[in-house]
Amino acid sequence: MRIGTRHAKRKPPIIEKLLKQDSYRHINALRVDFDGQKQVVKTFNADRQSTLIMFKGGREMGRSLGDTSKQGI
């Protein structure tokens, strides 16, 4: 996720706050630099900067594109 767009700037604080809650402490988050880590972006087929991908047991379970609301994330 690149900090350069309105959406990308809003996601990290929301995610950081969620991950501090007891019900989300078991979740690991990986932040990818959209411009600097092109191979990782390509591997996960994240064609938009504000892409949030959820995995469980190594399988993709969901994807959020451009959502900046706490409920959506």
Side-chain angles (χ1 to χ4, degrees):
M1 183 180 333
R2 181 181 146 215
I3 303 300
T5 66
R6 178 176 54 92
H7 296 300
K9 286 180 182 177
R10 289 184 61 190
K11 271 191 181 176
I14 294 170
I15 293 170
E16 289 172 9
K17 286 179 184 176
L18 284 172
L19 294 176
K20 290 178 182 176
Q21 295 177 14
D22 288 337
S23 56
Y24 296 103
R25 288 192 190 273
H26 66 284
I27 295 175
N28 295 315
L30 171 67
R31 185 172 177 185
V32 176
D33 180 336
F34 189 83
D35 293 323
Q37 295 178 287
K38 290 293 186 185
Q39 186 58 45
V40 177
V41 170
K42 184 177 178 180
T43 297
F44 291 107
N45 195 27
D47 57 353
R48 293 180 57 187
Q49 291 180 357
S50 56
T51 301
L52 180 63
I53 307 170
M54 289 68 62
F55 291 91
K56 183 175 183 178
R59 294 184 50 202
E60 184 173 330
M61 302 303 289
R63 194 173 275 245
S64 170
L65 302 172
D67 193 349
T68 60
S69 70
K70 183 177 178 181
Q71 294 77 21
I73 292 174

